[in-house]
Amino acid sequence: MLRRKPTRLELKLDDIEEFESVRKELESRRKQRDEAEAAAGGEEAAAAAIGALGTEHKSREQLINDRIGYKAQPKAGGRTAHFGTFEF
C-alpha cells in the first residue's frame, strides 16, 4: 500500500463566520424550544400538583413505573408452577 503525506487543511475566515452563524441559529432555536417547554411544563406542573393533592396517592415505585411506561405483568402460576405440589 502506498503511503502519502498527510493533507493539510486550512481554516479560512469564511468557514469561521459560517460556523458562528450556524451555531447562533441553533442556540436561538434551543432557547425558543426551552422557553416553550418551560411554559408548557409550568401548566403541567400545576395540574400535577392539583392531582397530587387529591385522594389518590401513588407509591414512589408506581410513579416511576408510570413515568417510564412500565406495566407490571403478574407472574404465571405462582409457587406451584416451579415446584409442582410440594409445600415448604
Side-chain angles (χ1 to χ4, degrees):
M1 189 162 143
L2 296 174
R3 183 133 176 116
R4 64 182 179 95
K5 295 181 180 179
T7 305
R8 182 179 177 132
L9 298 175
E10 293 182 15
L11 188 62
K12 298 179 182 176
L13 184 60
D14 294 338
D15 297 331
I16 295 172
E17 290 173 351
E18 182 181 358
F19 172 77
E20 290 294 326
S21 67
V22 170
R23 189 179 71 172
K24 286 180 183 179
E25 284 180 31
L26 290 174
E27 286 177 0
S28 66
R29 287 182 190 170
R30 184 177 300 132
K31 285 181 183 178
Q32 289 174 353
R33 186 181 66 223
D34 290 344
E35 290 172 358
E37 288 177 0
E43 294 170 1
E44 292 175 3
I50 293 170
L53 295 176
T55 58
E56 184 179 319
H57 297 285
K58 293 184 178 181
S59 69
R60 182 174 185 266
E61 183 177 346
Q62 286 176 324
L63 291 172
I64 293 171
N65 289 343
D66 290 344
R67 186 175 67 228
I68 64 174
Y70 175 72
K71 306 249 188 288
Q73 299 292 328
K75 293 182 181 178
R79 285 187 351 181
T80 58
H82 298 291
F83 301 108
T85 58
F86 296 118
E87 291 291 325
F88 292 100

